[in-house]
Amino acid sequence: MHTQPPIDFRVTQVANHPQRLQPIRTLLVDSGLGLDSDITLFVEAWCGTTLVGCAGLAANVIKCVAVNEGARGGNLSARLLAEVENVALAQGYFHLFLCTRPCNKERFARSGFWPIAQSGNNAVLMENTPQGIERYCRMLSHKRQPGEKVGAIVMNANPFTLGHRHLVEQAARQCDWLHLFVVREDASFFPFRARLEMVRAGVAHLRNVTVHEGSQYIISRATFPTYFLKESGKVQQAWSEIDVLIFAQHIAPALGITHRFIGSEPFCAVTHQYNQTLHSLLAGQVEVVEIPRIKAAGNAISASEVRRLLKTQQFSRIRDIVPASTFAHLEAHYSAEVA
């Protein structure tokens, strides 16, 4: 009687063994998937000399789960998920996320993942606990402030400019209280702690503002999983909708937020489209207020211009477009480094 060879699970560190990615790429392509570049390791399932399954890990986000067509129906995807979860636990990641096509939602639900938000037929974000988002919102609710008009701003602040300060000051002036979230992921030129420090210093003069450290429920476009979405337009739509739905359904109610403030976006098409998503999905729940950007020397102030000037050490021009607190940070941390 012929029996199937047992499944052998292996862990591959991508940086140490890049040559092992080729069979993984082939398996992913056969499953209609791409390979996200931030994956640091893969759990591989081998049947003899054939790769029959894989699951990737990028920090605490599970990505690129695929099973060879001939090996489906044998619960291999559940075993792969269990293996990659064990690897994540060994690395200290207990709270795990995954993003997948909605048609896979039930399969991942059977392996202990709960949906948080869904973008149409494009993507669903899931986590490995039924209480994750509720626990986060309970924590947020302790920072709730009284008032009829409670605002929110979400910013990357890469770095914090006079334009950011203008947006915060205008919003704070219009609100009883303002909640300011700084995007957490280290996917920017300036690391999260540096951005947070610059934001806190830049708004310290405002008495009705709470600065929040961002969470994984405020999603960075730079780290949003894209491996299962072929078209860049769908990636942008999925990220925008999931991020805005989490804000509308969970974060805003927890803090009693009535208004979301955004800056006008003359430069970046991606941010402009995100702003349009805010307008459409928050309609009737949270009022979106768009504040025009201020200009310096005839040009709209942008963080990307600060980064460009920093690379060429043009501190005299940087001084004109950032608060004194940001300038002090940049001068202290980057003048010697870049010179």
Side-chain angles (χ1 to χ4, degrees):
M1 180 178 170
H2 177 72
T3 58
Q4 278 284 90
I7 299 294
D8 176 32
F9 291 100
R10 308 173 193 170
V11 177
T12 292
Q13 299 286 343
V14 171
N16 297 341
H17 304 283
Q19 75 281 1
R20 294 190 195 171
L21 286 183
Q22 193 49 52
I24 294 173
R25 288 183 193 277
T26 302
L27 176 61
L28 290 172
V29 168
D30 290 345
S31 301
L33 302 175
L35 175 62
D36 274 11
S37 60
D38 59 346
I39 293 175
T40 56
L41 65 83
F42 273 96
V43 172
E44 304 165 17
W46 289 83
C47 183
T49 58
T50 304
L51 178 68
V52 293
C54 67
L57 192 65
N60 69 332
V61 181
I62 297 172
K63 298 182 173 186
C64 296
V65 180
V67 172
N68 181 293
E69 190 171 1
R72 290 172 193 167
N75 209 32
L76 181 54
S77 63
R79 293 174 64 190
L80 267 169
L81 278 172
E83 291 288 335
V84 79
E85 283 188 81
N86 285 337
V87 172
L89 288 171
Q91 295 190 351
Y93 297 116
F94 300 96
H95 187 191
L96 303 177
F97 294 84
L98 65 82
C99 202
T100 187
R101 297 184 182 115
C103 60
N104 294 326
K105 184 164 63 173
E106 294 307 316
R107 177 159 63 99
F108 288 117
R110 288 193 294 271
S111 294
F113 282 81
W114 281 261
I116 304 169
Q118 181 171 328
S119 166
N121 292 320
N122 288 328
V124 57
L125 180 68
M126 308 180 77
E127 61 182 340
N128 67 335
T129 168
Q131 287 101 26
I133 187 70
E134 286 81 4
R135 190 184 304 123
Y136 174 64
C137 288
R138 280 198 303 274
M139 183 195 75
L140 277 185
S141 66
H142 295 310
K143 298 182 180 180
R144 188 171 178 138
Q145 297 287 341
E148 289 185 14
K149 192 169 182 179
V150 178
I153 295 174
V154 177
M155 64 172 56
N156 202 31
N158 186 35
F160 187 77
T161 67
L162 287 176
H164 291 114
R165 190 177 73 179
H166 175 74
L167 173 62
V168 177
E169 287 176 341
Q170 292 295 311
R173 191 172 294 131
Q174 296 179 39
C175 291
D176 298 304
W177 202 267
L178 178 67
H179 294 278
L180 172 54
F181 294 87
V182 182
V183 173
R184 187 176 197 99
E185 283 93 347
D186 278 324
S188 304
F189 180 87
F190 296 94
F192 168 65
R193 287 293 159 195
R195 291 184 287 108
L196 183 66
E197 179 184 323
M198 286 186 274
V199 171
R200 283 180 168 156
V203 304
H205 61 295
L206 300 170
R207 298 289 167 238
N208 64 332
V209 176
T210 299
V211 177
H212 297 264
E213 297 187 13
S215 73
Q216 288 190 288
Y217 298 110
I218 294 174
I219 302 164
S220 163
R221 180 169 53 90
T223 57
F224 184 76
T226 62
Y227 62 92
F228 57 92
L229 293 168
K230 293 286 184 262
E231 301 164 39
S232 61
K234 285 188 175 180
V235 172
Q236 167 67 15
Q237 182 184 354
W239 162 68
S240 299
E241 290 184 358
I242 286 175
D243 184 72
V244 174
L245 286 169
I246 292 172
F247 178 83
Q249 296 168 1
H250 301 282
I251 295 172
L255 289 168
I257 291 166
T258 59
H259 291 69
R260 173 84 178 251
F261 291 86
I262 56 177
S264 59
E265 184 45 70
F267 302 114
C268 178
V270 168
T271 305
H272 178 74
Q273 197 219 308
Y274 177 79
N275 287 352
Q276 296 308 113
T277 303
L278 282 169
H279 280 290
S280 71
L281 292 186
L282 294 183
Q285 300 177 69
V286 175
E287 185 177 336
V288 179
V289 181
E290 194 160 338
I291 294 176
R293 286 194 183 213
I294 58 170
K295 296 184 177 183
N299 298 313
I301 295 172
S302 75
S304 59
E305 175 68 2
V306 178
R307 298 193 299 274
R308 188 185 71 79
L309 293 170
L310 191 61
K311 287 175 183 173
T312 50
Q313 292 284 282
Q314 297 183 61
F315 280 92
S316 60
R317 292 179 62 186
I318 291 173
R319 191 191 294 273
D320 295 332
I321 55 178
V322 300
S325 53
T326 295
F327 186 80
H329 179 96
L330 298 180
E331 200 171 40
H333 291 87
Y334 293 94
S335 57
E337 179 184 305
V338 184

